[in-house]
Structure formats: C-alpha cells, structure tokens
Amino acid sequence: MAAELYIARRVRRFSRAHNGAIDVEHLLYAGLTRSAIRARVRRGRLVLIFTAVYAVGDPELLPLVRQSGALLSVGSDSVISQRSAAAVWRLAEVDPNVIDVTVIGRRPRPRTGVKLHYAKTLTDITTHQNLRLTNVPRTLIDFAAQASASELTHAFGEARAKWRLTDPKLKAALKRTPRNHPGAAIVRAMLAEGGTYDRSKAERLMRTLCRQAELPQPVTNVMLNGHLVDFLWPDRKLIVEIDGYGTHGTRQAFEADRRRDRGHIANGYAVIRITWAQLENEPMAVIAAIAQALARRAA
C-alpha cells in the first residue's frame, strides 16, 4: 500500500506540472511497470493521447493536456507555436485537429495530430499555464502566416487589450525573426499602415460615432456562423469588419475572408469591410455608409 501511494504521488506531481500529461519514461521512473501501465490504460486511469504519452484521466476534462502531451512527445527542445500558441493566449480559436509545435535545431519524425515547424534558433519563448510556448509578439508573427485577415486583425486587437502588446516589443521580435519568415512581411506591412490597432479603441470610436449619429449600438466580437465578427447589428443582419491592408499579405488570407463573407451572405447578412485608417481618419464617411446600410435593411 505504501508503495502504491508513493507511485501515485510521483505520477500526480509530474502530471500536474504538465497539465495532466505524462510519458512512459516518467511512468516507469515513478515506479510503474509496463504491465501496470497497461492495466491502468484498461481501467481508464491512463488515456493514450500520443505515442508513449498519456493523459492521467479524461482528456476532455483537462483543457491543455494535449498541448503538454505534444511537447512531451516531441522533446524538450520544442514549444507550442503558431495558431496553437495564439489559442493558448486566447487570441484565436483553437484547431481541434492539430497542435502546432516548433522544434529548435533538429527535425524529428512526424507525429499524428502534431504539425511540426522548425527553427534554427528561437529565443522568443516563455512559460504560460505550465506550457513552453512562443511569447505574444512571436506568436502573432507566426500566426500571421496562417490566419485570415479578420482573424489576424482580431488577434492583434486582443493582444493590445489583454496582453499590452506594444510596437517596440513587436519590432524587437521582428528583428529576431528570419527575414524570409512568411509572417514577418505581413506584420511589417501592418505596422507600416497602422493595422495592428487597439481593438478597444476601435470599439469606443465606433460606439461614439453611432451615438452621435443616433444609430443603434452594435454587438461586438461575437461568434456568428462559426466566425468571430467585429461589429454586428443582429436585428438588421449587418456585419462590419475592420481590415488592415497588411493582413491581406497572402492570397490565403484574402481568399479566407471572402469565403467567410460568402458564408455570412448565404445566411442573409450584409458585410461591410473598412480599414482602421478609414475608421480613424474618415469617420463621417464610415458612419454614413453604416447608416445607409442599416436604413436599407430596415426597409
């Protein structure tokens, strides 16, 4: 009995430090035999999530167990990155099918459920919720190569509001990023034209304009048809999205936003796209276009 308690404490200590994940090596180090591991699997006390990596309990009840398990599977020279890091920072929706992991200095074999990325060096690393992951500026640079324009605009707005992202921090991270990094050019273009705007500032400005024009106030940052939209007038089925020219630095991002718009339109919504520069520098033209659209959809 004493031995069982000792083993249980060691398993619990390690798994708690890894969001409920543990690998075979540490199960054996804790004192379990391979037959004991198989017995725990049969009883559901261990659930295989990657090759030789288990969740200590139900993975559905352990929010970050798969991310921690992916790192255990790949090795200590790996970090959560790209969309998966953006999701941990609550800047993007999680991809339920794959976990993005960057490996530093080597190229391991592929793993099912893990999308591997490679870097010769990487210093923009931090720890958050017991996970090694890219810090917020580097996460946004990496995410820029994957995200749609609306997703990236939203991510930057949330980072400004929640994590106090600043241009100096972002520019410093860009200097440490390889020049040929696919997301770096997009972020540089966004910085050049003010496309990494503060989302809370945009919301305040939009609400002020609507109040001055005696227009109904929109709902902000709401999920609709499986996508996050910036401003929504639900009774008029009108959507306003804020774009930056820099966010359309790839054909993938441009096409993704058009697919989103088609989906909204197919469900009876109208979509107006404006830029942060237009909202800030041409507010009367923006609010006039919104007023006209609201009037048309009220008829």
Side-chain angles (χ1 to χ4, degrees):
M1 181 64 71
E4 281 290 325
L5 290 174
Y6 174 76
I7 290 171
R9 280 197 297 269
R10 297 190 79 170
V11 170
R12 185 164 57 248
R13 187 180 303 120
F14 183 88
S15 64
R16 281 180 175 175
H18 294 81
N19 297 301
I22 191 168
D23 57 5
V24 167
E25 179 182 349
H26 285 90
L27 287 169
L28 295 172
Y29 180 75
L32 287 172
T33 64
R34 293 190 181 275
S35 62
I37 293 172
R38 289 193 292 270
R40 290 189 177 213
V41 171
R42 287 194 297 272
R43 293 196 296 270
R45 295 174 64 184
L46 293 173
V47 178
L48 187 69
I49 52 176
F50 296 102
T51 301
V53 178
Y54 298 88
V56 182
D58 185 350
E60 299 303 319
L61 302 178
L62 301 167
L64 296 175
V65 69
R66 295 190 184 278
Q67 290 85 340
S68 288
L71 294 183
L72 288 173
S73 174
V74 175
S76 59
D77 54 355
S78 62
V79 297
I80 300 298
S81 61
Q82 271 82 7
R83 178 180 291 276
S84 295
V88 173
W89 289 118
R90 298 187 179 181
L91 304 177
E93 294 295 310
V94 68
D95 184 338
N97 300 314
V98 69
I99 297 169
D100 292 291
V101 173
T102 291
V103 188
I104 305 164
R106 66 185 178 94
R107 288 182 174 267
R109 59 179 176 78
R111 274 112 171 122
T112 302
V114 178
K115 184 175 182 179
L116 293 174
H117 309 267
Y118 308 99
K120 290 183 179 179
T121 60
L122 180 61
T123 58
D124 290 300
I125 299 171
T126 189
T127 301
H128 180 66
Q129 295 185 316
N130 290 332
L131 279 173
R132 270 170 53 87
L133 75 169
T134 48
N135 62 20
V136 170
R138 180 56 187 258
T139 294
L140 289 167
I141 294 168
D142 290 339
F143 186 48
Q146 296 178 319
S148 70
S150 295
E151 285 178 320
L152 193 55
T153 301
H154 170 77
F156 269 101
E158 291 297 292
R160 295 282 193 191
K162 291 181 178 179
W163 303 106
R164 299 179 182 176
L165 178 72
T166 64
D167 283 355
K169 289 181 180 179
L170 191 57
K171 289 175 181 177
L174 280 168
K175 288 181 180 179
R176 294 187 292 269
T177 304
R179 292 291 301 180
N180 62 349
H181 187 291
I186 297 171
V187 174
R188 289 190 187 96
M190 293 174 71
L191 282 169
E193 63 117 27
T196 66
Y197 69 91
D198 184 333
R199 179 169 293 275
S200 60
K201 183 178 178 181
E203 182 178 334
R204 289 194 300 272
L205 181 53
M206 180 66 80
R207 292 197 181 283
T208 297
L209 291 173
C210 288
R211 185 168 55 252
Q212 291 173 345
E214 298 183 352
L215 297 177
Q217 292 289 339
V219 179
T220 60
N221 304 323
V222 62
M223 291 299 296
L224 180 69
N225 301 321
H227 301 288
L228 191 73
V229 301
D230 293 330
F231 300 101
L232 171 67
W233 286 262
D235 58 329
R236 309 288 176 87
K237 286 197 159 188
L238 177 66
I239 297 166
V240 172
E241 297 275 32
I242 300 181
D243 290 336
Y245 176 80
T247 61
H248 289 97
T250 66
R251 177 175 292 277
Q252 176 187 2
F254 183 88
E255 294 293 343
D257 272 356
R258 270 51 198 174
R259 284 194 297 272
R260 287 163 57 112
D261 290 353
R262 287 197 299 272
H264 292 317
I265 292 168
N267 283 282
Y269 291 84
V271 182
I272 296 176
R273 289 191 172 273
I274 61 174
T275 67
W276 166 243
Q278 288 171 337
L279 180 61
E280 191 172 41
N281 301 324
E282 306 170 29
M284 293 301 99
V286 168
I287 205 66
I290 293 172
Q292 290 169 4
L294 289 171
R296 285 196 302 270
R297 297 187 68 79

